[in-house]
Amino acid sequence: MTDLLLSWPHPAADWTEAMPLGNGRLGAMVFGGAGRTRIQVNDATVWSGTPDGPAAALAAVDAGPDKLAEVREAVSARDFRRAEKLLMAFEGRYSQEFLPYVDLWLTLPDGISHGRTLDLDSGVATEKLTIGGHDVERTTWVSRPAQVLCVALSGPIDVGVEVSTPLREVSRAGLDLGIEIPVDGAPRHEPQVEEPLRYGTAEGYDPFGAVSVRIARTGSGVLIVLASSTSAYDAWIGDRRHTRDEHRRRAAVLAERAAATGAAELRRAHEADLRPLLAASSLRIGERRGGTHDVAGLLSGADEQLTATVLFQYGRYLLASASRPGAPPANLQGIWNDELRPAWSSNYTININTQMNYWAAETTGLGECHQPLFDLLGKLAVTGAAVARELYGARGWVAHHNTDPWGWALPAGMGHGNPSWALWQMGGAWLVQHAWDHYDFTRDRAFLERTAWPLLRGCAEFCLDWLVEHDGFLGTCPSTSPENLFLSEAGTKESLTHSATMDLVLIRAVFERSLAAAETLGVYDPVCTEIEAALPRLRPLPVLPDGRLGEWAEDRPEEDPAHRHLSHLVALYPLGQLDTPGLVEAARRVLDRRGPGAMGWSWAWKIALRARLGDGETARKLLGEATQPFTGDRHRDAPVDGSEWGGLLPNLFSTHPPFQIDGNYGFPAGLAELVVQSQNGVLALLPALPADWPSGEARGLRCRGGLAADVEWRDGELRYAVVRRLSGDPAEPVRVRYRGRETTLSLRTGESTVLKGLRC
């Protein structure tokens, strides 16, 4: 199969035009061009903060179960101002920032650039140059096996190399830098913080990074490699803490070993690592996939089917580049950031954005890339247990709206964060669904036992203790529907209430999946008895008089009927909990009222939701909106209310604005749902195919139950499908559905069946 390459005719003039590369640990933005050119480099572990930051922040919070009881009394009395004032005491400061690391500067003689390409199947960026009458090719990649950034130039050529950092440089020896990393970093939406980046030390932790660059010259060209070693990496993996000299030596050894290996072998090993991962699945809408595609042409809208095809692979490529085992998970900007105070700290926003980053991980064959999120969940289960105990007098563990690699689990907001986003106790309850999903797709019993079940159990304990009795049902109080507001009887804008629909949906999913995990493992646990008693008492989902699924327990008018968040529709996608036609129709009416898109992540969620409804036509229109080129100020933060729509940047990054990568990750998840779905024990083929996409094929899409599916369609009809069992229980029947027709298969592990019109 021919590789899929993106192309740009000129070097990048701006960061949003540069080409992204990464190996899960190191990220690079490649600008290109002759003369002096920049490669901006991130290390996924370089965040402000310290390992003891979450514990220190919790110790500074003056709140607890007694104050929580006062909050609940105030909410019940509809004394919202008093409830909000009390809740401000529960807020810590803020989660930490993902920071830029270094810039690698290359200086070549003046020449002509003949364009840049980024190979989305191999992760190699290439630029062809003419310098002094000679053709020069520059290739750049970030090797996971060698753990270095590699730049190879063909032909005998002079090149100057420099390295610099926007952080605090504390040592320099040739091309080796010692860098001090801030111990605190305030988000730019907290302008009152006098020292937004604070340097210093922390007990038992030295915030330090070492960068080493080596150059190898041969008769056939020049190889430049860059390696990194950080204290934060030691903390992330739980390794012993190294001294600064040890970090310098470790970075130098990595760089010297790579330089001695040579460009050809480095690239061979890199592609042997990355290609199989990126080839695990594919999607072609229309007749074209491989080849070199001009990005300006993609943004023109001239071939929407090709654009959809490219965005599927681009999102997968970005996830494989930003999230691999051994490093923190993909954040709001994946692994790429060049700002000292990035929007929203480029952190983990866990009321939708981090979750969306991983929606495509299982369905598109990138389950390995999911592991960093589970590692973060493991940290939250520890820090969040202390928060649950101290703030709420609850068992288990909790997380709120934001987190970071240190495991921030407190509400953020510095005592003035609006409860609509800051005081939301369900962040962990949503994140933990990913652990169940990984099991559900892979049927990896060892993962269920070691990782998913302990996380689910701890989250279920918190949910049990968080529930309160109200009108004969169990619900939550205080409760918000993230970032949305309703109008009170007095006409005031409010966020606090009880039993928001999203809370109930997430808690039900935690409970049901905890029971399923325990049953699968044959575990008897007293928590399961508590869950079985609580489940039938959960408040039913509300359906409003106009037929919409209610966002709050009571029928309250929305302050913004077209709000960008679709929190209560988590029940439809990704959780698949709407099990009656009436509830599904109620969700459809919500979407109809919310209208079209607003920004990348909101478009992506609406596409996936429409796919679940079988509404491919609207999903296609939403994708058309989302893939328009963004023509505004790329560096200005638009209002968060969705009043200004985003689009795609010149390097196809999705923007709000500012740039947030969740839209890029959400698009392949939504596209996959249009052609294959697996939920509630049924594998559905072409469940939401748009009429204007009459031909195409998908390969290797993963399905719940340890299955994979290939499909090809022509003239809008299924030509054939192949269903394979990769793992799971061979005795479990496989129900396959296509447009009202259904068949049941029995497949052993490693066995496949070809279906044509659902006839074997």
Side-chain angles (χ1 to χ4, degrees), residues 188-189 339 342-344 483 564 598-601 603 630-647 649 654-660:
R188 69 187 190 209
H189 60 265
E339 298 188 29
W344 326 123
E483 305 194 38
R564 66 201 180 278
M599 54 200 68
W601 65 263
W603 269 307
F630 180 72
T631 57
D633 183 350
R634 307 171 195 171
H635 304 287
R636 169 181 169 267
D637 291 358
V640 296
D641 61 7
S643 58
E644 296 183 20
W645 286 16
L649 295 168
S654 178
T655 191
H656 180 177
F659 158 53
Q660 283 184 196

Side-chain angles (χ1 to χ4, degrees), residues 19-74:
M19 300 181 290
L21 301 170
N23 68 353
R25 170 78 187 278
L26 292 175
M29 294 292 283
V30 181
F31 283 64
R36 193 168 189 259
T37 184
R38 177 189 182 199
I39 301 176
Q40 187 263 321
V41 181
N42 290 99
D43 182 312
T45 66
V46 175
W47 291 65
S48 60
T50 63
D52 64 353
L58 175 59
V61 171
D62 183 19
D66 291 343
K67 191 161 287 186
L68 174 62
E70 293 183 59
V71 170
R72 285 172 167 165
E73 289 175 4

Side-chain angles (χ1 to χ4, degrees), residues 268-607:
R268 185 206 64 76
H270 160 71
E271 294 201 30
D273 167 71
L274 187 59
R275 273 189 182 276
L277 188 62
L278 292 175
S281 75
S282 65
L283 178 66
R284 173 175 56 79
I285 306 295
E287 302 301 327
R288 294 197 290 165
R289 181 193 184 275
T292 301
H293 305 298
D294 179 72
V295 169
L298 295 171
L299 291 171
S300 73
D303 188 339
E304 66 172 69
Q305 297 181 43
L306 177 61
T307 300
T309 299
V310 168
L311 286 180
F312 179 85
Q313 184 66 359
Y314 192 49
R316 297 182 68 252
Y317 164 79
L318 292 172
L319 186 58
S321 301
S323 184
R324 300 288 293 276
N331 59 57
L332 275 177
Q333 295 188 189
I335 198 176
W336 302 280
N337 167 47
D338 73 336
E339 298 188 29
L340 289 171
R341 297 189 80 184
W344 326 123
S345 297
S346 192
N347 66 10
Y348 303 110
T349 304
I350 58 175
N351 67 7
I352 172 59
N353 312 92
T354 302
Q355 288 86 346
M356 184 177 288
N357 282 3
Y358 288 91
W359 282 351
E362 300 300 332
T363 55
T364 73
L366 299 177
E368 171 191 325
C369 300
H370 225 158
Q371 183 60 48
L373 186 63
F374 308 141
D375 294 339
L376 178 60
L377 276 166
K379 293 181 183 293
L380 286 172
V382 175
T383 57
V387 172
R389 181 179 63 252
E390 298 300 322
L391 289 196
Y392 306 124
R395 299 169 294 166
W397 62 276
V398 64
H400 294 79
H401 173 259
N402 291 122
T403 189
D404 57 29
W406 313 112
W408 179 271
L410 276 168
M414 293 185 67
H416 57 247
N418 192 296
S420 69
W421 58 267
L423 276 303
W424 181 67
Q425 293 78 16
M426 294 291 112
W430 194 353
L431 276 182
V432 79
Q433 310 298 333
H434 285 259
W436 172 261
D437 281 342
H438 183 71
Y439 165 72
D440 206 9
F441 277 88
T442 65
R443 297 301 167 95
D444 183 341
R445 186 184 175 93
F447 174 83
L448 182 67
E449 183 174 16
R450 291 194 304 262
T451 302
W453 162 242
L455 290 169
L456 282 163
R457 184 190 183 281
C459 187
E461 280 189 307
F462 173 77
C463 292
L464 285 164
D465 290 353
W466 184 245
L467 288 169
V468 294
E469 184 103 21
H470 192 281
D471 295 338
F473 296 107
L474 291 178
T476 58
C477 182
S479 180
T480 68
S481 193
E483 305 194 38
N484 205 357
L485 304 174
F486 61 89
L487 299 178
S488 71
E489 297 95 327
T492 58
K493 298 177 183 179
E494 305 294 347
S495 61
L496 290 176
T497 181
H498 73 91
S499 309
T501 297
M502 189 187 205
D503 287 4
L504 301 175
V505 168
L506 291 172
I507 289 173
R508 180 175 294 279
V510 169
F511 285 175
E512 291 177 346
R513 291 170 173 185
S514 294
L515 292 178
E519 181 180 3
T520 299
L521 295 171
V523 170
Y524 169 76
D525 193 295
V527 168
C528 294
T529 303
E530 294 183 62
I531 291 172
E532 289 168 344
L535 259 174
R537 300 186 61 213
L538 288 178
R539 178 177 289 275
L541 299 185
V543 177
L544 303 180
D546 65 2
R548 285 180 296 132
L549 185 67
E551 190 160 1
W552 296 278
E554 298 166 340
D555 184 5
R556 296 293 179 201
E558 302 151 303
E559 186 271 329
D560 176 13
H563 199 267
R564 66 201 180 278
H565 279 260
L566 301 141
S567 299
H568 50 320
L569 296 192
V570 67
L572 177 62
Y573 182 93
L575 296 184
Q577 283 198 319
L578 300 185
D579 53 3
T580 69
L583 286 174
V584 171
E585 177 59 26
R588 184 191 304 274
R589 293 192 180 194
V590 171
L591 277 175
D592 289 345
R593 179 174 168 87
R594 288 291 165 95
M599 54 200 68
W601 65 263
S602 190
W603 269 307
W605 198 354
K606 289 175 182 177
I607 290 167

Side-chain angles (χ1 to χ4, degrees), residues 83-92 413-419 423:
E84 288 180 353
K85 183 177 180 180
L86 289 165
L87 278 170
M88 294 305 175
F90 287 75
E91 295 181 356
M414 293 185 67
H416 57 247
N418 192 296
L423 276 303

